[in-house]
Amino acid sequence: MVAPPEHGPMTPPAERWLDRDAGPVVRPYAVTGGRTRPDGEDFELLAVVAATGVPPGDRLRFRPEHLRILRGCARPVPVADLAADLRLPLGVVRVLLGDLRDEGLVAVVRPGAAAAGRPDAGVLREVLHGLRAL
């Protein structure tokens, strides 16, 4: 006798969307509402994003994934690392980050902003010349 396939036409609908190891299966396009790119500028793979600190309130009907991403951005984090940490596809993270950016909840941290408070390269060069002169 041949064993029936694990998920076939006779499998109840509730069990077709359940992976025994991973739990409920939700397709990426369902999470993003069918969108494949964020509105506006795309997020580079190594772009560093961070939460702005603005409370989410009721301005956006968040999906659980939105909230997970927002928590993951509590400290500045590269987009690629965020996707890996949350175990979400990179494309999904980019689209949902776009939603959060549109609501003013996350922003891309520019390299100059991360170095705020540090002396510029010219000052460091002058210090180096001074040390060599000693």
Side-chain angles (χ1 to χ4, degrees):
M1 177 159 215
V2 177
E6 196 168 320
H7 295 293
M10 301 303 291
T11 305
E15 289 187 29
R16 284 187 217 149
W17 295 103
L18 181 69
D19 182 313
R20 295 191 194 286
D21 296 326
V25 177
V26 177
R27 302 282 184 212
Y29 61 82
V31 174
T32 63
R35 297 171 295 151
T36 58
R37 301 187 91 82
D39 293 336
E41 190 176 329
D42 201 1
F43 291 90
E44 296 290 326
L45 188 63
L46 297 177
V48 177
V49 292
T52 60
V54 174
D58 293 334
R59 298 183 310 169
L60 179 69
R61 292 191 176 135
F62 290 111
R63 299 188 56 85
E65 293 81 7
H66 281 109
L67 298 174
R68 287 178 54 206
I69 288 172
L70 194 55
R71 282 191 302 269
C73 292
R75 293 182 304 156
V77 60
V79 173
D81 290 350
L82 181 64
D85 291 345
L86 299 176
R87 295 183 178 163
L88 289 171
L90 183 61
V92 170
V93 170
R94 285 176 165 165
V95 170
L96 298 181
L97 276 170
D99 295 344
L100 295 170
R101 177 191 55 207
D102 293 347
E103 293 296 321
L105 301 174
V106 298
V108 174
V109 178
R110 303 288 175 207
R118 294 183 183 172
D120 69 352
V123 172
L124 293 175
R125 222 177 344 267
E126 292 297 322
V127 170
L128 184 60
H129 290 306
L131 290 173
R132 286 184 180 155
L134 292 176

